[in-house]
Amino acid sequence: MALAMLAFASNRLEGLAVAKMLNLVLLPPIVLYFFAAKWRLFGLLVPTYWVSEAVLALAEENVKFWGYWLGGTAYHLLLCICCCFLDLTACFIKRFDRLSF
């Protein structure tokens, strides 16, 4: 989330707006927790869903933890590969180049 804020916001005000929009990514796993299991499949497209389901399965000492962990890892790798092909990483690199550490 920090990299996305850095990539899409050019000042503090835009950073606050981007942070609010990025928090919407955290909302679906929380909402889907209260629905039946068959409705939770809609959360598979949200990256934070995989992490939250893995944590819940680990807390219940459920074997599904490994499925969520492997599925989430594969999904995140797929997202990274898609970002590379769409050249979305160039946006991040441009923002890092202008920073002086």
Side-chain angles (χ1 to χ4, degrees):
M1 288 180 56
L3 289 176
M5 286 178 56
L6 184 64
F8 298 120
S10 60
N11 57 36
R12 288 183 185 176
L13 184 61
E14 286 182 10
L16 289 171
V18 169
K20 285 186 179 190
M21 293 305 294
L22 287 175
N23 282 330
L24 290 177
V25 176
L26 298 174
L27 189 61
I30 297 168
V31 172
L32 289 173
Y33 176 75
F34 297 104
F35 284 96
K38 64 181 181 179
W39 291 102
R40 290 186 181 183
L41 294 176
F42 289 113
L44 294 176
L45 298 175
V46 181
T48 54
Y49 173 80
W50 294 92
V51 177
S52 64
E53 285 296 319
V55 169
L56 290 173
L58 187 63
E60 296 174 357
E61 296 180 6
N62 197 339
V63 184
K64 291 182 181 180
F65 165 76
W66 292 106
Y68 287 122
W69 186 79
L70 291 172
T73 303
Y75 183 69
H76 282 89
L77 286 174
L78 180 70
L79 285 177
C80 288
I81 291 170
C82 288
C83 285
C84 288
F85 282 122
L86 294 176
D87 201 27
L88 294 177
T89 55
C91 182
F92 292 113
I93 292 171
K94 288 178 187 175
R95 294 290 178 150
F96 279 121
D97 286 342
R98 72 179 182 153
L99 293 176
S100 59
F101 291 104

